[in-house]
């Protein structure tokens, strides 16, 4: 609506309201014309004030472009060819002729920078879309992007750029060079001497011109090498097309420890020298503990689902001496879960079961093979995930038929050995458990119970007990992996349940009182799993001979946290007292970088757009509203009230 029409209607409304109030409703006393005029003016100002601009002048629109400077870690790489100046130095050279104060640095998040505030590039991500939105909100109608083009959000940035109406020009400070890198290297933390050690990895390829010493034809295969104290092997792997990746695996048999019963060994996995001309993504360091003892835990899945993938890291953290997962693929044949499933014979699985400290089995009791039922009968520590009916050997519990409906977990009212790990969590908020069978018999305690549709009688989900010197735990139903898949509180509940059960089952078996809780990564505090009843714990982290951090606890919790550390090879020492007496644990560990800034990546298509009329301005904040009309209306209402009192009106 035009402003003049709004003001005219506001004046008519004010006059009409004043006339109706004083000519139709008030007593006909002399002198009422004055208050009527004040009321009409006050209502006019209230309505007109919605369109009256502020008295102060609007800030001048910024003129000229805004420079968006990429400050992600990949800008440390060479600009053109290996050995040349960095991409960031090339970017600063482009900015030199322009006045300072018009630079918006972007990486993980945008921030204005100028002069001395231009710190070295170190952002672990490259997000362009938030920087474009910030430029538009600041009122700029055009930007110049100075970057290497390796963004984490190319599709979103292109959509945002087209919708804002900004004029966009790019200055690329890198040339595309053919690169092959290695990432997502995975290796088991512990392996028994004489067993097979495996390392999985992913090869990623980015396209571009070959380096000066490379052939013009693209490579279709590459040699991957693994070197260490007891290994030196190579294997040829096929390469995918540019912009894609392929997984691979290397395996070897570590020799027995030269001293003691355990030994930490360093390995390096690398590519050919010409794979990555920049030398930033063609190798990775590995640590492996080789032990001269039985395996920690073995999980046999007779009814495979996603549970094996999520339960394996929990078992590895609790046992601290290595774990293995085997899923049944055919009668008498199994596949070992890893980066690439490895088919194994049933005899090898039986040998692993006999050596395991903890035996975990998933399946239906009546459908388990005879050899596995025999193994359960004689094993002293067992964890069973049961989805169907049947009797269980050497246990005072039977699994009944499946129950209908959706069953939601909740913590039991009585304290249990797993209660500290589930404290503060709400299992009832998690997805329901499926295929719950009934449990009959006797058990010592229940870690979780459930109710159908959150109502009615509580039935046990996870129970535990003893038979002579052996310990056992039974978890009924399927779909627990959905808790772990969600992450956050749901993942902590999953880890607390199965980690607590496995920890209770392994009590009485000598194991490390302190060990890493999970692999350490840059930006995340390092955490250690601590055994029960550990006191006077002193933790120290070393970088070579230099002390990086230390901490002390009189009575330590199940998990203790340290600082966030830089990437590299470090070591820790733990000294304290456990129920078995004083202990000292020393071991190396690696802190890995979790960003992919130095890895080969395809550059996003360049963006070149003309500024659209009103495009950037449309996203400016609305013009400020005037305050004085509302203040004047309040004064007029107060004056009217005083005048009315003087002429005898209430």
């Amino acid at each position: 609506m035009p402003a003049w029409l709004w003001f005219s209607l506001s004046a008519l409304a004010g006059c009409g309201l004043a006339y109706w109030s004083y000519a139709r409703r008030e007593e006909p006393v002399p002198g009422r014309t004055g208050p009527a005029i004040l009321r009409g003016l006050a209502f006019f100002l209230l309505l007109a004030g919605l369109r009256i601009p502020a008295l102060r002048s609007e800030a001048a629109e910024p003129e000229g472009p805004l420079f968006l400077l990429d400050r992600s870690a990949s800008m440390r790489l060479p600009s053109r060819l290996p050995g040349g100046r960095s991409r960031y130095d090339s970017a600063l050279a482009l900015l030199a002729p322009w006045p300072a104060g018009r630079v918006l640095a972007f990486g993980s998040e945008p921030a204005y920078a100028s002069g001395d505030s231009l710190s070295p590039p170190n952002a672990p991500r490259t997000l362009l879309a938030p920087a474009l939105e910030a430029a538009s909100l600041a009122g700029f109608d055009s930007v110049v992007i100075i970057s290497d083009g390796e963004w984490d959000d190319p599709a979103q940035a292109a959509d945002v750029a087209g919708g804002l109406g900004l004029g966009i020009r790019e200055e690329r400070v890198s040339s595309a060079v053919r690169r092959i890198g290695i990432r997502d290297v995975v290796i088991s933390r512990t392996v028994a001497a004489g067993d097979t050690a495996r390392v999985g990895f992913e090869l990623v390829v980015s396209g571009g011109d070959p380096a000066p010493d490379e052939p013009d034809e693209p490579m279709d295969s590459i040699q991957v090498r693994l070197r260490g104290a007891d290994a030196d092997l190579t294997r040829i792997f096929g390469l995918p097309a540019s912009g894609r990746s392929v997984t691979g695996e290397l395996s070897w048999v570590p020799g027995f420890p030269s001293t003691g019963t355990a030994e930490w060994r360093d390995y390096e996995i690398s590519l050919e020298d010409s794979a990555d001309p920049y030398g930033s993504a063609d190798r990775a360091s590995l640590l492996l503990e080789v032990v001269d003892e039985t395996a920690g835990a073995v999980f046999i899945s007779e009814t495979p689902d996603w549970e094996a993938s999520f339960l394996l890291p929990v078992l590895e953290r609790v046992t601290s001496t290595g774990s293995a997962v085997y899923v049944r693929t055919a009668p008498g044949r199994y596949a070992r879960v890893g980066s690439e499933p490895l088919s194994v014979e049933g005899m090898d699985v039986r040998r692993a079961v006999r050596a395991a400290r903890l035996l975990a089995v998933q399946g239906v009791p009546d459908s388990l093979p005879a050899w596995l039922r025999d193994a359960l009968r004689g094993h002293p520590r067992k964890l069973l995930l049961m989805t169907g009916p049947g009797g269980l050997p050497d246990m005072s519990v039977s699994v009944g038929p499946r129950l209908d409906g959706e069953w939601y977990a909740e913590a039991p009212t009585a304290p249990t050995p797993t209660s500290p790990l589930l404290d503060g969590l709400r299992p009832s908020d998690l997805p329901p458990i499926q295929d719950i069978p009934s449990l009959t018999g006797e058990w010592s305690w229940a870690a979780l119970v459930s109710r159908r549709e959150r109502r009615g009688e509580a039935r046990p989900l996870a129970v535990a007990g003893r038979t002579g010197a052996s310990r056992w735990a039974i978890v009924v139903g399927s779909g627990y992996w959905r808790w772990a898949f969600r992450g956050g509180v749901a993942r902590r509940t999953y880890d607390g349940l199965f980690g607590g059960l496995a920890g209770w089952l392994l009590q009485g078996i000598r194991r490390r009182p302190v060990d890493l809780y999970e692999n350490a990564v840059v930006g995340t505090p390092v955490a250690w799993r601590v055994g029960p009843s550990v006191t006077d714990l002193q933790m120290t982290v070393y970088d070579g001979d230099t002390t990086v951090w230390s901490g002390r606890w009189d009575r330590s919790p199940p998990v203790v946290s340290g600082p966030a550390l830089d990437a590299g090879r470090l070591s820790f020492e733990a000294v304290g007292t456990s129920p078995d007496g004083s202990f000292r644990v020393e071991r190396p560990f690696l802190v890995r970088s979790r960003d992919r800034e130095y890895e080969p990546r395809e550059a996003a298509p360049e963006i070149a757009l003309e500024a659209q009329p009103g495009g950037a301005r449309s996203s400016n904040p609305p013009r400020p509203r005037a305050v004085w009309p509302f203040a004047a209306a309040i004064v007029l209402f107060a004056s009217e009230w005083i005048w009315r009192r003087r002429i005898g009106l209430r």
Side-chain angles (χ1 to χ4, degrees):
M1 182 184 296
W4 66 268
L5 180 58
W6 180 264
F7 294 150
S8 300
L9 295 177
S10 299
L12 290 176
C15 293
L17 180 62
Y19 175 78
W20 176 78
S21 299
Y22 281 89
R24 298 294 184 185
R25 295 181 58 83
E26 301 290 355
E27 298 178 8
V29 299
R32 57 193 175 149
T33 303
I37 293 174
L38 294 180
R39 177 172 291 191
L41 285 174
F43 273 101
F44 167 74
L45 290 174
L46 285 178
L47 296 175
L50 299 175
R51 299 293 296 273
I52 295 177
L55 294 177
R56 65 178 182 272
S57 60
E58 188 174 354
E61 299 289 352
E63 297 180 357
L66 177 67
F67 293 89
L68 305 185
L69 175 62
D70 187 349
R71 207 156 65 183
S72 62
S74 63
M75 293 288 283
R76 293 174 179 264
L77 296 174
S79 176
R80 300 296 175 187
L81 294 176
R85 67 177 178 176
S86 71
R87 301 172 181 180
Y88 195 63
D89 290 338
S90 299
L92 295 181
L94 290 174
L95 283 174
W98 297 92
R102 303 182 66 86
V103 177
L104 180 67
F106 69 95
S108 300
E109 57 185 20
Y112 284 95
S114 62
D116 296 337
S117 64
L118 289 173
S119 59
N122 54 11
R125 302 188 67 193
T126 313
L127 302 177
L128 176 61
L132 295 175
E133 293 173 345
S136 178
L137 288 172
F140 289 92
D141 60 2
S142 61
V143 297
V144 177
I145 303 171
I146 304 178
S147 168
D148 55 16
E150 297 178 1
W151 310 322
D152 291 318
D153 59 346
Q156 183 181 1
D159 292 342
V160 170
L164 291 177
L166 286 170
I168 297 178
R169 180 168 61 88
E170 279 197 61
E171 293 285 351
R172 292 284 171 94
V173 291
S174 67
S175 59
V177 177
R178 184 187 304 157
R179 299 179 64 197
I180 305 169
I182 188 168
R183 71 182 184 193
D184 291 343
V185 180
V186 179
I187 187 172
S188 298
R189 191 180 300 181
T190 304
V191 66
D195 198 358
T196 302
R198 295 178 176 84
V199 55
F201 53 87
E202 185 177 4
L203 296 174
V204 60
V205 180
S206 67
D209 298 327
D213 56 347
E214 284 190 23
D216 292 337
E217 293 296 325
M219 301 169 61
D220 58 1
S221 63
I222 194 168
Q223 177 178 282
V224 181
R225 183 177 185 182
L226 178 79
R227 286 178 290 183
D230 54 10
D232 190 352
L233 58 124
T234 59
R235 182 179 167 188
I236 304 297
F237 291 88
L239 289 175
S242 177
R244 299 183 178 274
S245 63
V246 65
T247 59
E249 184 178 82
L250 292 173
S251 61
W252 74 103
V253 179
F256 284 84
S258 58
T259 59
T261 59
E263 186 175 87
W264 286 96
R265 297 177 184 172
D266 292 280
Y267 298 88
E268 182 185 69
I269 185 171
S270 60
L271 306 179
E272 299 175 11
D273 293 338
S274 60
D276 181 14
Y278 299 148
S280 62
D282 57 358
R283 64 194 64 244
S285 298
L286 308 171
L287 268 177
L288 176 66
E289 184 186 29
V290 181
V291 297
D292 185 13
E293 55 186 18
T294 57
V298 170
F299 180 32
I300 309 295
S301 178
E302 292 289 329
T303 56
D305 58 10
W306 288 101
E307 207 72 65
S309 299
F310 291 101
L311 189 56
L312 176 59
V314 177
L315 296 177
E316 287 186 333
R317 285 198 299 266
V318 175
T319 58
S320 76
T321 53
S323 298
V325 172
Y326 300 91
V327 296
R328 182 177 181 269
T329 57
R333 295 197 62 82
Y334 294 83
R336 180 166 179 170
V337 175
S339 59
E340 288 186 357
L342 178 68
S343 179
V344 295
E345 298 290 342
M347 188 60 66
D348 295 330
V349 178
R350 299 183 193 187
R351 186 180 303 112
V353 167
R354 288 194 298 269
R357 292 180 173 181
L358 173 63
L359 174 59
V361 176
Q362 179 187 32
V364 179
D366 287 345
S367 301
L368 298 179
W371 73 266
L372 188 53
R373 292 182 64 87
D374 292 339
L376 286 172
R377 182 174 290 106
H379 205 283
R381 315 283 167 151
K382 44 211 169 194
L383 172 63
L384 306 181
L385 284 70
M386 300 288 99
T387 58
L392 297 171
D394 197 28
M395 279 175 275
S396 58
V397 176
S398 295
V399 182
R402 294 176 182 174
L403 304 173
D404 296 331
E406 293 185 335
W407 294 79
Y408 291 84
E410 61 182 59
T413 56
T416 68
T418 58
S419 295
L421 298 177
L422 298 175
D423 185 37
L425 305 177
R426 293 174 56 88
S428 58
D429 294 339
L430 301 180
I433 300 302
Q434 303 169 349
D435 303 325
I436 290 183
S438 60
L439 283 175
T440 57
E442 297 181 358
W443 50 83
S444 301
W445 50 276
L448 276 185
V449 297
S450 63
R451 299 180 192 271
R452 179 187 290 148
E453 307 295 341
R454 298 190 175 94
R455 299 188 299 271
E457 178 186 1
R459 291 184 175 271
L461 279 180
V463 299
R466 303 171 187 255
T467 303
S470 66
R471 297 187 178 197
W472 48 264
I474 303 172
V475 181
V476 294
S478 61
Y480 291 92
W481 61 268
R482 292 185 295 164
W483 296 0
F485 183 78
R486 283 194 170 194
V489 174
R491 180 58 184 262
R492 296 208 308 272
T493 305
Y494 183 90
D495 291 350
L497 171 63
F498 288 101
L501 290 174
W504 179 81
L505 291 170
L506 290 169
Q507 283 182 3
I509 297 179
R510 186 174 179 84
R511 56 195 179 102
R512 288 195 189 97
V514 177
D515 203 357
L516 281 177
Y517 182 72
E518 55 188 0
N519 293 330
V521 295
V522 172
T524 301
V526 182
W528 291 270
R529 174 192 53 76
V530 182
S533 303
V534 170
T535 58
D536 300 326
L537 177 62
Q538 174 74 39
M539 298 288 304
T540 308
V541 176
Y542 297 97
D543 184 357
D545 296 329
T546 304
T547 300
V548 176
W549 171 85
S550 64
R552 182 179 179 82
W553 295 264
D554 292 332
R555 296 191 63 85
S556 58
V559 178
V560 299
S561 296
L565 302 170
D566 295 332
R569 187 185 191 276
L570 299 96
S571 62
F572 76 82
E573 177 188 67
V575 179
T577 304
S578 70
D580 297 324
S582 299
F583 66 85
R584 178 186 298 271
V585 176
E586 298 178 275
R587 60 153 288 186
F589 68 98
L590 295 173
V591 180
R592 300 188 182 279
S593 174
R594 62 180 175 184
D595 67 73
R596 297 186 172 180
E597 285 291 318
Y598 295 130
E599 297 174 358
R601 292 194 293 177
E602 292 290 306
E606 290 196 23
I607 302 177
L609 297 174
E610 296 291 335
Q612 301 298 318
R617 302 293 184 262
S618 64
S619 60
N620 289 340
R623 184 170 53 183
R625 181 175 293 162
V627 177
W628 68 265
F630 303 99
I634 294 174
V635 173
L636 291 175
F637 278 125
S639 301
E640 179 205 3
W641 181 81
I642 296 173
W643 200 327
R644 286 169 56 86
R645 290 290 184 179
R646 289 185 176 276
I647 63 177
L649 293 176
R650 292 184 297 174

